[in-house]
Amino acid sequence: MSINSAMLAGVSGLKANSAALAALSDNIANVNTVGYKRSQVDFQTMVTGGSSGGYSAGGVLAHARHYVTQEGLLQRTGSSTDLGISGQGFFVTTERAEDLTASDSRLFTRAGSFSVDTLGYLRNSAGLFLQGWIANTEGEITVDPSDLTRLNSINVGAVGGAAEPTTRVSLNANLMSSQAVSPEFATYDASTNSMAMYDPETGAGVRPDFEMQIPVSDSKGGKRTLAISFLKTDVPNQWLAEIRAVPASDVVTGAGLSNGQIRTGLVAFTQDGRLDVDAMQAMGAQALFPDPENAILTFGASDGAAPGAGQVNWAPGLGVDDQQVSFDLDTAAGGLTQYDSQSVVQAVITNGTAFGNLTNIEINEQGYVTAIFDNGVTRRIAQVAIATFPSPDNLISVNGNAFRVSQGSGTYNLKAPGTGGAGMIAPNQLEASTVDLSAEFTGLITTQRAYSASSKIITTADEMLEELIRVKR
C-alpha cells in the first residue's frame, strides 16, 4: 500500500538524517584533532517495484564517506618530534613497540604528534608507535619497500654517547727561513740524540728550533697530543722534523723509534717558501713523508701485535682501536711554509671529538632521524617509512585517528619520503583537522530540517491511515 510505503520512507529518512547528524557531530568534536579527516554522509535513493496503477516509495539510504585524501593545513610547533606529511601517504604505526610479528596489525595515520616515551620509542598521542627502517652500526640504512616486517619501532632513547676519532689534521704554520743553524745540529741523531729526548733541566737531547702541538682524539674520544719538532739544517730550505706522542707512554714504538717518536725525517721547501713536494718525493725514506700529498700516520690498536720497525701502536693501557691520521701540509690557504718571518702556528684544524651526550633528536624532510650530541657529532638512527594506497579514501577508520587496510583501499606500498609519489616529511609541524566549522554548522541546520520533514511524512501518513479507518464507521 502506498501509504505504508510512504511511512517507511519517512522512517528511512529519519535513519539517514540521524547518520548524517552523527557524522557532523564527529567532525565538530574533532575540529582540533591532529590529522583528523572529515566524514560526510551521502544519501542515495532506494527504488522499489510498484504496480502499474500505483507508486511505492523506496525511501533513502545513507552512505558514509571519508575524505582521507584531503590534506589539512600544516601548522608549526615547537617539538622536534612532531611530524606532518606534505603530500600523499601515511605514517606506519603499531600498537606495541617490541617483539613484532607478521600477525601484529599495522595501522596507518597522519597524526604525527610523536613524543619519546619512557622506553625511548616515538609514540603519538593515540599510543601508536612510529615505524621505520633502522640504521646499522655504521649508520647505513637499507630501505626495503617490499616487506612490512622489515620495519621496526624507532627508538631514540637507546642511543648512547658518541665520540669520533681524529682522521684529519690541517696545518697552517710558518718556519722562519733566516733561523740560524743550531750548533746542536752537528750532534743530532734521530735514534741516540733526538729532539724527542730533549730535557731542558738536564740538557739531554737536542733542543728544537720550533715545536707545535696537535690535539687528537682516539677511538674512544680520549684526548691525545702529538708534537712536531723542527730543527734547521745546514742545507738551505731543509729542516729536520720529528712527530712524537706526548707523553711518550701513550705509544709503543717499533725498532728505529724511541721516546714516543712516531715519524722522523726531512722537510724541504722551495725558494719561494712553499713546501717542496717534488724534493721530498725524491728523498724517499729520508723525508718526513715520502709523499707529502698523502701524508698519513698509522697507529696500531692497543691490543695489536708488537709493532714492526718504524711502526707505532697505541699503548696497551689505553685500550683503543687502530687509527689513521692524514696530514694536510700543502694547501692553497696555508699549509707548512718557510718565509722570513717569525716561526708561528697560524692554525691547527682537526676533526674528531671527545665523548658527547645526546642533546637533541632531529628529523629532516627525507625522514632521517638523527641524534645530535653536545660534542658536535651527529648519528643517523633510522628513516621514517611512508605508506601509500591505490584508494586511500576506502581505508577503514579505527580508534586513535588511524586507518587499516580494506579490500577497497588496495594493498599498501612502502616508500621512503619524497619518492614514488609519497609526500615529504614536514618536521616540527602537525597536520590540522580538515573540518570546516562553518560548513558543519550549516549541515547541522539542513540535517535538522530534513529530519523534521521526515517526521512529518510519518505523522501525515498516520493521519491518512486514521482517516481510512474512519470510513468503516
Side-chain angles (χ1 to χ4, degrees), residues 164-166 169 213-227 244-251 262 299 302 313-321 323 325 348 350-354:
E164 292 288 341
T166 298
V169 175
Q213 293 194 340
I214 302 170
V216 299
S217 297
D218 60 30
S219 63
K220 294 195 294 190
K223 285 300 182 183
R224 308 293 159 210
T225 301
L226 303 182
R244 73 180 196 277
V246 180
S249 59
D250 276 355
V251 294
I262 300 169
F299 298 83
S302 293
N313 284 4
W314 288 117
L318 299 180
V320 294
D321 203 358
Q323 185 173 354
V325 180
V348 176
T350 66
N351 66 347
T353 58

Side-chain angles (χ1 to χ4, degrees), residues 25-45:
S25 301
D26 257 353
N27 291 342
I28 295 172
N30 287 279
V31 67
N32 290 320
T33 300
V34 173
Y36 177 77
K37 304 299 180 182
R38 63 178 291 267
S39 299
Q40 178 179 302
V41 171
D42 293 335
F43 297 150
Q44 63 185 45
T45 59

Side-chain angles (χ1 to χ4, degrees), residues 63-277:
H63 175 73
R65 180 180 176 185
H66 303 282
Y67 291 89
V68 180
T69 53
Q70 184 177 353
E71 294 184 41
L73 180 67
L74 292 174
Q75 299 177 331
R76 186 162 295 277
T77 69
S79 173
S80 62
T81 55
D82 281 343
L83 303 177
I85 299 177
S86 179
Q88 297 299 310
F90 301 82
F91 297 113
V92 184
T93 62
T94 56
E95 294 178 302
R96 64 175 184 170
E98 300 173 341
D99 302 323
L100 295 173
T101 65
S103 61
D104 288 310
S105 62
R106 269 68 171 181
L107 302 178
F108 307 91
T109 184
R110 301 269 295 194
S113 52
F114 296 101
S115 59
V116 182
D117 70 0
T118 54
L119 296 178
Y121 291 101
L122 290 180
R123 185 180 187 183
N124 71 5
S125 55
L128 301 177
F129 296 93
L130 181 63
Q131 302 293 292
W133 294 285
I134 308 302
N136 61 20
T137 55
E138 302 299 324
E140 299 171 344
I141 297 174
T142 301
V143 175
D144 188 352
S146 62
D147 190 354
L148 190 64
T149 61
R150 295 291 183 92
L151 297 179
N152 289 283
S153 301
I154 298 177
N155 190 310
V156 300
V159 181
E164 292 288 341
T166 298
T167 59
R168 186 181 67 255
V169 175
S170 180
L171 294 180
N172 187 351
N174 182 67
L175 302 177
M176 188 168 64
S177 63
S178 60
Q179 172 75 43
V181 178
S182 171
E184 296 182 82
F185 166 68
T187 65
Y188 175 83
D189 185 279
S191 299
T192 61
N193 192 38
S194 66
M195 290 180 278
M197 298 176 182
Y198 177 65
D199 186 339
E201 294 183 0
T202 64
V206 176
R207 178 181 178 181
D209 291 327
F210 183 67
E211 184 173 277
M212 67 179 75
Q213 293 194 340
I214 302 170
V216 299
S217 297
D218 60 30
S219 63
K220 294 195 294 190
K223 285 300 182 183
R224 308 293 159 210
T225 301
L226 303 182
I228 306 181
S229 303
F230 296 92
L231 181 66
K232 185 73 178 293
T233 73
D234 56 1
V235 178
N237 301 323
Q238 284 189 8
W239 295 68
L240 287 166
E242 293 180 5
I243 304 177
R244 73 180 196 277
V246 180
S249 59
D250 276 355
V251 294
V252 176
T253 58
L257 300 172
S258 60
N259 294 85
Q261 289 174 330
I262 300 169
R263 202 173 193 94
T264 65
L266 290 167
V267 176
F269 297 92
T270 62
Q271 294 185 13
D272 60 0
R274 301 295 301 178
L275 194 70
D276 195 338
V277 175

Side-chain angles (χ1 to χ4, degrees), residues 230-377:
F230 296 92
L231 181 66
K232 185 73 178 293
T233 73
D234 56 1
V235 178
N237 301 323
Q238 284 189 8
W239 295 68
L240 287 166
E242 293 180 5
I243 304 177
R244 73 180 196 277
V246 180
S249 59
D250 276 355
V251 294
V252 176
T253 58
L257 300 172
S258 60
N259 294 85
Q261 289 174 330
I262 300 169
R263 202 173 193 94
T264 65
L266 290 167
V267 176
F269 297 92
T270 62
Q271 294 185 13
D272 60 0
R274 301 295 301 178
L275 194 70
D276 195 338
V277 175
D278 293 336
M280 292 181 66
Q281 288 175 340
M283 292 177 187
Q286 291 183 321
L288 181 66
F289 292 104
D291 184 4
E293 294 181 341
N294 189 30
I296 297 175
L297 294 183
T298 300
F299 298 83
S302 293
D303 60 354
Q311 296 180 338
V312 177
N313 284 4
W314 288 117
L318 299 180
V320 294
D321 203 358
D322 59 353
Q323 185 173 354
Q324 283 192 336
V325 180
S326 175
F327 279 76
D328 188 359
L329 303 175
D330 184 27
T331 63
L336 195 58
T337 61
Q338 181 197 237
Y339 297 122
D340 195 12
S341 62
Q342 188 70 29
S343 294
V344 65
V345 178
Q346 299 288 354
V348 176
I349 302 173
T350 66
N351 66 347
T353 58
F355 179 84
N357 295 305
L358 181 67
T359 59
N360 194 24
I361 296 294
E362 291 186 358
I363 304 173
N364 66 8
E365 292 183 344
Q366 287 73 43
Y368 289 114
V369 183
T370 304
I372 310 297
F373 298 87
D374 57 11
N375 59 358
V377 173

